[in-house]
Amino acid sequence: MSLDEAEPSSTQSYVQAVSPDSRVDAGVWVAKKSSSLQSKLGALRSLLRPKGQGPIPRSRRRVVLDRARRALLHDPQTGHPYIDNSIRSSKYTLWSFLPRQIWYQFSKLANAYFLVVSILQMIPGLSTTGSYTTIVPLLIFVSISMAKELWEDLRRHRLDKVENFSTARILGEAIGIPLSDTVVMLSSEASSWDYILWKDIRVGNIVRLRRNEAVPADLVLLHVEGSQDTAFVETMALDGETNLKGKVCLPCLSQYGSVDQIANSSLEVFVEGPNLDLYSFNGNMTASGETLPLTNEHVLYRGSILRNTNEAFGIVVYSGEDCKIRMNATKSPRIKAPALQAEVNKVVILIVLFVIVLAVSLTVSYQIMKPKETRAFYIANASVSGFPIFISFVILLNTMIPLSLYVSLEIVKLCQVFFMTSDLQMYDENSKTPMEARTSTINEELGQVNYIFSDKTGTLTNNSMVFRRMSVAGIIFAHYPSTQHPQWDKQPQESLPTYAATPICMQAPPAKSTSTRDHGFVEHTTAELLQYVQDNPELPLAQAGKAFILSIALCHTCMPETKPDGTVDFQASSPDELALLEAAKDMGYLLTNRQAGTLTMKISSGGTLVIEEYQILHVIEFTSDRKRMSVIVRMPDGRISIFCKGADSTIKGLLRLSELAMQKDRAVARRAHARQSIEAENYVKRMSTYDARKALSGHSSLGNTRPSISGHRNVDNLDSSAKWLADEDLEILASPVEAEFPLRFSYQSAGRLQPVSPTTHESPTSGTVPFKDLPVDDAILFENCFQHINDFATDGLRTLLYANRYISENEYRSWSSKYKEASASLENRQERMEAVAILIERSLELLGATAIEDKLQDGVPSAIKRLRRANIKLWMLTGDKRETAINIGRSCNLIQDFSDILVLDYELGDLAQQIHPQTWKMTHVDIAHSVVVVDGQTLSTIEADDILHASFIELAVLVDSVVCCRASPSQKASLVHSIRHRVDGAITLAIGDGSNDIAMIQEAHVGIGITGKEGLQAARTSDYSIAQFRFLVRLLLVHGRWNYIRTCKYTLGTFWKETLFYFIQALYQRYNGYTGTSLYESWSLSMFNTLFTSLPVIFMGIFEQDLKPETLLAVPELYNIGQRKRGFSLKIYLHWVAMALAEAIAVFFLMLGLYGQATFTNDNGLFSLGDLAFTACVVIIVTKMQYWELQNKTLTCAIAILLSIGGWFLWNVILGATYSNNTIYNVKGGLLARWGRNPLWWLCLLIIVVTVWTVELMTKMAQFAWRPSDVDEFQQLEKDKACWERIKLAARDNAMAPRMDAGTGAASEEDAKREREVEELLARPRVMDSEAEGLRRRHSAHDGAEEVIELDELDIRTGKPTATVLSI
């Protein structure tokens, strides 16, 4: 039954038509995709998907291969041709730019307010300040902002053009494209291939791909050139996975010998309509009357790259925006606006209301005063109604909201970007990559982040796997990269250097692992094992070691590739397998050739090089359900053996003594659970102590005590913060309880615990390896191996168990016939093959375990720790498998040893029953650390139900971290979207390095791109880009916080100065009969913001640093000022306005009383009074912005003060000399000739300024005395030399803190000594808290004696703890 024959209204018949070999899966699919759930899913996704993306089409598609066809294929649903292959990632088109930008610009309420005022101003007779003085600058400022957006979007258009104008080769004549002369011979048949632009590729074209070429559209694979008949593709850009995926052709295509024969056949492809699901594909293909199902393994998706395959050919089924990678992309990225803008909009509304109320009051006052005007004969017949008077007052006071607010803010933000991009601490020397900013609009949001959504591969990890350890015969062997490989280029049987001469020097110095835990036991190296095998080849340990290394070298699917220089590289579908094979090569087992049924291997044995050939009888592939792979091999001696590797949870049940293995596994699990429970209890206890101290201190954040009102450093206050810093160090020392509860152990030859220094890797000088052969005891072997696996997993390493057994010829022949029959089955083929595989994968003997490190980027664990201390929750969203994601979560500190992990899995039953108990637990029980793990399919089920989705989000917000594996790009964006809209006030940040991360980067408030190995796709579309994840700490905690503080102070300062200046204008109306006369001269008034007061607030927004970077890195908790909106809010604004109103009243009435009403004075006219108030305002504004409110006082302060105040007096001189219209304001010669020579004017100015200064000083002293902030506290600590040294030591971590002596040479001897002491302190074995606070235990590394050490306190001035040895 073809897809065309399926009943459109019947989902079940449709699925069976598409995939007749998977009816069981169809039944499950139908159960999950019932009509009600489908409608809910469609409604939910339509809400979650960004505007412009549209609904998800599910129509069927029929593609007929016809080489002679010249017309375009048409979509039967729409009747139109299928869309072309062009894509667009830019925000705007030629037609949408203007309307969308106009809407965005005037969504800023200040701009909308000025638009209304400018319209009123252009009405004749209403304005006393001109008709176009508002609309012209408004249009200029808006045009500048729009031009900036246009420039940024043009860059995206250029990137789209690069992709759309790439070239590909298609078979036959392309529509509208002339044929080229290129002729390629395939299977002795000629075919014409035409070069065509990507954008011109259409559905139905046959595309030819060569090695390392990108796939231009979604293709169904037709033919592969090569002996393996498998095309390997890299899908890193789609799902973030680094392992290569094998794609195969349908068996029905094997009858054709070439692409020409396929193209000339009657071939039809039926597929489902375009959709977002990257992990499933439904369709079928009919060739020569035979119909077979199409699945994911038969499709090459756009965004993939062909690797390790000479050529591949496919037919286009989806093009352009219908491709899955584009379906997962955000089609119309939203215009990002900072969250602070919403708060500013509230303030603008408040100011507008204030202006209206003030204008109404002045209008009413004018009406009251109006009868008095009739007494004046010259205006007796002049009648002005109330509304024009009201509008004139609105226009007069409209500049209480400065017109240049947003433009000046753009200048401030551009300078902030300059400082961020110039920071050498965020410059990666290895890749020569600086931090880059592609927008300045959302700088302050870097200081308000609550949630970080991070990709794994290339973002947290380095895209490289390293073989670290292995467990053989109950002993751990560490493996380090070799500096001297066996000489593989020698002929067989030639003498080779033996390991006896240099058992350790062959090992490179131990590379720094991202796994930081030391277990405190003997850890031998693989070089020692090889030496032992060479010296004692017949002993059981040697035999076990050789069998284990051989299993590593045989059990894989890697392809060797010999280079022209004779070296061998491996092409692996998985980075794990590559790391394992490289390790086997280091240990003397080199794979040199792989044919269809044989493996050829060079083996270094006993100082000689031999070549052995192994016949590969069967390869039973790894699947996510089986969690293992097996190879059946005929050994060189003729015996048949099966080698199996996989997850420990799977292999344990396949062992010969599986019951004993399960028993020992449970024992290890019980000990691990007990250890984790104690660690969690200790963690909760420490946090409870910290919270209690914080509560007793009465401080809102860090538990500070009240400082002295005199302004001197309070001793108790300093000691409190010193104790806080000390507690942070003691938390570093807090042990995972090995000493008190020795759960991690390793049996040696006598089966007893032998603790030694964890750094012991040296062999005795005699050159012999100190092994004693182990007794054959399966119980000890199982317990040791399983304990090692637990230790490896706790360290975040990826573990595999290896096992094998020998098979008789009869057993193999019987099994082989069954497996062949299952492989040929057309129904439930995969299930039948797995069922037969279990028959041979049984009664296995345990060989050992491996531990591979998915190497993290430098500083990732430390960075995550700091971000967690900053109250930022980090979610890891990856396309990798669940086990891989959990292992990485452990190694990077996202998941703690004692974390309470909830794995949500739709296959385990009702998801609501899994979510609700954990939610109750989170709200009613103290949990040290909790993590939710969810996969992509489970997430799809959750998203299909609104109630379930709401429950999941509620739980996700409560837990400490979320790990989402197997997530598609659209699911990543959906999670970000959910948190952004469902968690009030939450600022989200998404960080990734691949094109599969673009959707979530564009969806988040802040998008960070990593310029990593996956390319620059994410970096190009991000808001900011960095080279390493660790730079995110400095970007957020330092620059983000500074930008937030600077922007807030700039905004507050701007509103404050306008209120101060113009409220004086309003007060003056009482004394001019409410006629709207201005106290200030008009030219000076127009230059108030531009020349005299803009520089102080701009410099405040550019140069302010309330705390030093070392302090912000040492105390990440200070980041909460942005999260809690303590920099700008309506309450804070009202406080500043209240100060402005009070100071305006003081300025006006002191000016009026002391100078305006003075009897003996040269000039107390309107201009001199206005100039006195103007001068006082300029001095007050400049000094407040550059002295009272600025913590980082540098040369720029003097520059701002000199240019602003000096510029104002220079303006008076120039104005007095050049002023011509001296009618209303007596300006001519005012400063130099009249009131400037009057001492009373200067005395009044001094009194006014000093009075306002006194108000400011008293306010700050009262605030510092009764409501000190964390910033006040640490500003005092920074002034204390000893505390400052301690802060610098705390900030120095993984080169993220600024270098203490940058530019001044090496640190002093005293600093170096103190640093060594702190390093020695931190290098001590980690120990557990006892019931008494400060009590620590540790084991002696020499004789097993135990000491109890009481850490009385941490001396903040030396950085050393004072310790007392009690006794044991």
Side-chain angles (χ1 to χ4, degrees), residues 759-893:
T759 59
T760 301
H761 290 291
E762 297 184 0
S763 295
T765 56
S766 63
T768 61
V769 183
F771 290 124
K772 293 181 180 179
D773 200 44
L774 293 178
V776 181
D777 188 334
D778 289 314
I780 294 178
L781 174 63
F782 287 163
E783 190 157 12
N784 281 2
C785 186
F786 298 159
Q787 182 64 53
H788 296 161
I789 288 179
N790 184 271
D791 294 344
F792 298 157
T794 303
D795 287 345
L797 302 178
R798 305 170 71 160
T799 61
L800 289 173
L801 269 185
Y802 281 78
N804 84 318
R805 76 179 177 97
Y806 285 96
I807 306 170
S808 67
E809 289 285 350
N810 291 335
E811 181 184 2
Y812 168 71
R813 282 196 295 268
S814 174
W815 176 87
S816 179
S817 62
K818 295 178 182 178
Y819 191 76
K820 184 177 181 180
E821 181 183 349
S823 302
S825 173
L826 293 179
E827 294 186 2
N828 303 325
R829 180 170 58 242
Q830 188 65 37
E831 291 83 355
R832 292 188 179 185
M833 291 173 62
E834 292 180 4
V836 176
I838 295 175
L839 300 177
I840 201 74
E841 296 171 333
R842 59 180 179 82
S843 301
L844 303 177
E845 298 293 337
L846 180 64
L847 292 176
T850 59
I852 298 175
E853 178 186 7
D854 192 351
K855 196 167 180 60
L856 297 175
Q857 293 184 8
D858 293 338
V860 167
S862 175
I864 290 178
K865 177 186 175 182
R866 289 180 183 269
L867 293 172
R868 186 166 59 243
R869 285 178 54 191
N871 196 32
I872 299 174
K873 291 188 176 183
L874 194 144
W875 292 22
M876 183 169 70
L877 314 179
T878 177
D880 273 345
K881 296 178 294 185
R882 179 187 296 159
E883 293 78 7
T884 303
I886 292 176
N887 286 338
I888 291 299
R890 291 187 183 278
S891 61
C892 71
N893 284 340

Side-chain angles (χ1 to χ4, degrees), residues 409-420:
L409 187 57
E410 286 295 326
I411 296 173
V412 167
K413 290 185 176 183
L414 287 174
C415 293
Q416 292 173 357
V417 164
F418 171 78
F419 287 122
M420 287 192 292

Side-chain angles (χ1 to χ4, degrees), residues 195-228:
Y195 280 90
I196 188 174
L197 299 178
W198 275 26
K199 68 183 184 67
D200 295 320
I201 293 175
R202 295 286 185 160
V203 171
N205 288 148
I206 296 179
V207 178
R208 176 186 181 185
L209 298 173
R210 286 180 175 173
R211 187 174 183 143
N212 297 327
E213 287 186 348
V215 180
D218 289 356
L219 315 173
V220 171
L221 191 61
L222 298 178
H223 183 73
V224 178
E225 287 291 318
S227 59
Q228 298 297 316

Side-chain angles (χ1 to χ4, degrees), residues 130-176:
S131 299
Y132 306 104
T133 55
T134 301
I135 189 63
V136 172
L138 176 64
L139 291 178
I140 293 174
F141 296 151
V142 169
S143 299
I144 291 173
S145 297
M146 292 175 66
K148 175 175 168 289
E149 284 287 332
L150 178 62
W151 174 256
E152 292 178 354
D153 205 55
L154 284 175
R155 177 177 52 84
R156 299 186 185 94
H157 275 283
R158 286 194 292 268
L159 295 176
D160 291 341
K161 186 176 180 181
V162 169
E163 183 166 347
N164 289 330
F165 282 78
S166 300
T167 58
R169 289 175 295 275
I170 68 169
L171 180 65
E173 182 180 355
I175 303 301

